[in-house]
Amino acid sequence: RGFEEEAAPSVAEAHRAIEARAFDLAILDKNLPDGSGIEIARAIASSPSDTKVIVLTGYANLPSAVEALKVGVADYISKPFDLDDLVARVSHVMGLLDLERANHALTEELQSKNAFLEKLATKDPLTRLSNHAHFQECLQRELVRAARTGRGLSLMLFDIDNFKEINDAHGHPVGDAILKRVAAILLGAARKSDQSFRLREADIPARYGGDEFAVILPDTPEVGAAVLAERLRACLGSREVVGTELPAMRISVGLASFPEDAKDRAEILRCADGAMYAAKRSGRNRTVAYSVGLERVAGLTAREAADREIAMIRALDECIEEDRFRFVYQPIVDAEAWRPFAYEALMRPQHDALEGPLEVVHAAERAGRVHALG
C-alpha cells in the first residue's frame, strides 16, 4: 500500500521501536504475549510525538472500547476484519494526521508572524529598544504598579550632547551608529568590560525620540537613579566601551521620581524633562534630579526652580574641582579629665550659591556626585 512498516511481536519490542524512531501510525493488537497494546498506546499518548494509534482486538466489548478511547486512540477495530475496511480506516487516520500537521504548521507560522508584527509595533526599528508609544504604555503600567505596592520608581531621560553637530560633521550613518551603540549599552553591552553600569531585568530602556532616550527604573529611589545615571555617563564616555571608531559621547541626564516629584505619567515626564533641561543649561554632560522642594518651599516657578538648581550644581562642580571647602574641627572633650580625645570635622562650602553643608550634600545626591564629593 506504499507504507514503510516495522513489526514488533511484543510490548517490549514495541517500546524499543517507538523510542528509536518516529512513526506516523501504530496499529496495535490489544492482547500481546507480554502485555496489552493499550500500554503502548498510553506511552505514545504521553510522548511528544504525534503518532496516531489504531487498536485491533478479537474481544470487542464496550469497556474495552472505552479503555482504548481514554488513551486517545484514533480508531478501534474488531477482528476478524475486512482488509479493504482496514485500508480505508488507515487512509482516514493518515488524512487526519496530515490535516493536524498542516494546521500545526499554519499555527506556528501565524504565531511567528504575530510576534514579528508585535515587535514592529513596540520596537524602534533602528535601536531595537521600546519605541515611544510602547514606552508610554510601560510607564503607565509601572506607575500603577508602584502606586499599588508603595515602592515608587524613578524615570531617567537623557539625550546626546551636540548630536546635531555630530551628524553635520560626520554624517547620518555615524549618527545612527552612535544611537545603536547607546542602545547596545542600555541592553547590556557594558557587561563585556569593567564598567559598573548595569540595568536590571525589570528596568525598561526606550528610545524616546531622536537622540533622546528614557529608562524606567522600578523600585529605585532618586538617589539610586542618580548613581546609575553617573555610571551610564562614565560608561558612554569610555573608549573601552564605545570604541575608537565613533566620536566621543557625552549625555545630559534628567531624573524624576514617583511619588516624591510627580503623581502621574504626564507630571513625571514634565519633571524629568525639566531636570534634563537644567542639566543642559548648567553646562551639559551632567546629571540633574528634579527637586520639587524648591517650588514648594521657595514658591518658585518651574523655570525659576530649574535656574536655582543649575546655580547649585555649577557651584558644587566648582567647589569639587577647586577644593573650595573649609574645614573646622570641633573638639570632643573628656569631661572628667578635661582634655580632648577626638575631633569632629565640619565642612563649610566656600560659595555663595551653597548656604551650608546640607545643600552641598543634597545637590551632590541629585547630581549623582556623591562619590566625587567624598
Side-chain angles (χ1 to χ4, degrees):
R1 303 292 177 175
F3 292 99
E4 179 188 350
E5 57 81 28
E6 182 174 337
S10 67
V11 171
E13 289 191 39
H15 279 304
R16 283 194 290 270
I18 63 176
E19 288 172 3
R21 59 183 294 194
F23 291 91
D24 295 322
L25 175 64
I27 303 177
L28 306 174
D29 203 318
K30 188 170 183 292
N31 297 310
L32 292 165
D34 57 344
S36 171
I38 298 297
E39 180 187 338
I40 306 169
R42 192 173 288 113
I44 291 172
S46 63
S47 73
S49 75
D50 60 357
T51 304
K52 292 294 184 182
V53 174
I54 294 176
V55 169
L56 298 174
T57 180
Y59 305 96
N61 53 49
L62 184 58
S64 179
V66 170
E67 182 185 13
L69 292 173
K70 279 183 177 178
V71 296
V73 301
D75 209 342
Y76 181 85
I77 303 174
S78 298
K79 293 189 292 184
F81 56 85
D82 178 76
L83 181 60
D84 290 335
D85 179 60
L86 176 64
V87 170
R89 289 174 182 246
V90 167
S91 297
H92 174 69
V93 170
M94 293 301 293
L96 289 176
L97 180 62
D98 289 339
L99 282 174
E100 287 180 10
R101 287 176 174 174
N103 286 337
H104 182 69
L106 285 172
T107 301
E108 285 191 335
E109 183 183 0
L110 182 61
Q111 289 173 341
S112 176
K113 287 182 177 179
N114 283 341
F116 177 71
L117 290 173
E118 184 178 351
K119 193 173 182 181
L120 287 179
T122 61
K123 299 295 183 183
D124 171 64
L126 178 66
T127 63
R128 313 313 303 162
L129 296 174
S130 292
N131 60 22
H132 183 91
H134 189 235
F135 160 76
Q136 295 282 1
E137 292 176 5
C138 291
L139 180 58
Q140 181 62 34
R141 183 186 67 233
E142 292 301 323
L143 286 169
V144 170
R145 180 181 299 166
R148 185 177 66 249
T149 62
R151 300 181 67 173
L153 65 77
S154 289
L155 174 64
M156 179 194 305
L157 284 183
F158 70 91
D159 68 5
I160 301 167
D161 293 336
N162 304 313
F163 185 72
K164 182 179 183 302
E165 289 77 1
I166 293 173
N167 261 340
D168 292 342
H170 300 279
H172 289 283
V174 171
D176 288 348
I178 288 175
L179 296 176
K180 288 193 283 188
R181 190 58 185 160
V182 172
I185 289 169
L186 291 175
L187 292 172
R191 295 176 185 273
K192 300 175 183 177
S193 73
D194 292 331
Q195 295 293 327
S196 60
F197 174 75
R198 298 284 188 276
L199 286 182
R200 303 161 303 175
E201 188 175 348
D203 299 334
I204 304 170
R207 186 181 181 191
Y208 194 63
D211 63 319
E212 197 168 342
F213 296 83
V215 183
I216 303 169
L217 301 167
D219 303 330
T220 305
E222 199 165 77
V223 173
V227 172
L228 185 67
E230 283 300 284
R231 289 174 178 170
L232 175 61
R233 270 203 327 114
C235 187
L236 291 174
S238 166
R239 283 296 180 191
E240 178 189 359
V241 177
V242 176
T244 57
E245 72 278 6
L246 295 175
M249 260 189 274
R250 301 288 182 267
I251 61 171
S252 296
V253 186
L255 300 172
S257 293
F258 171 89
E260 293 82 3
D261 300 332
K263 303 302 181 186
D264 57 35
R265 182 179 62 178
E267 192 175 5
I268 197 171
L269 284 167
R270 179 185 66 80
C271 292
D273 189 62
M276 186 173 68
Y277 167 81
K280 287 195 169 296
R281 286 199 61 196
S282 59
R284 303 177 187 271
N285 191 32
R286 66 185 68 237
T287 299
V288 172
Y290 182 80
S291 176
V292 70
L294 290 175
E295 296 179 56
R296 287 177 179 166
V297 175
L300 304 176
T301 66
R303 179 58 59 86
E304 289 169 338
D307 288 342
R308 180 172 175 181
E309 187 79 1
I310 289 166
M312 290 179 63
I313 291 171
R314 284 176 174 163
L316 174 68
D317 285 345
E318 290 176 17
C319 287
I320 291 174
E321 290 165 10
E322 300 171 13
D323 292 329
R324 292 175 60 177
F325 297 104
R326 180 172 63 89
F327 295 91
V328 294
Y329 300 89
Q330 177 171 297
I332 303 174
V333 178
D334 181 333
E336 292 184 352
W338 198 246
R339 60 179 178 79
F341 66 90
Y343 291 88
E344 180 183 7
L346 307 174
M347 176 266 288
R348 297 290 182 263
Q350 302 298 290
H351 200 292
D352 293 340
L354 298 168
E355 296 178 359
L358 196 59
E359 282 202 337
V360 172
V361 174
H362 286 172
E365 287 179 343
R366 292 194 297 273
R369 302 298 304 278
V370 172
H371 181 73
L373 175 64

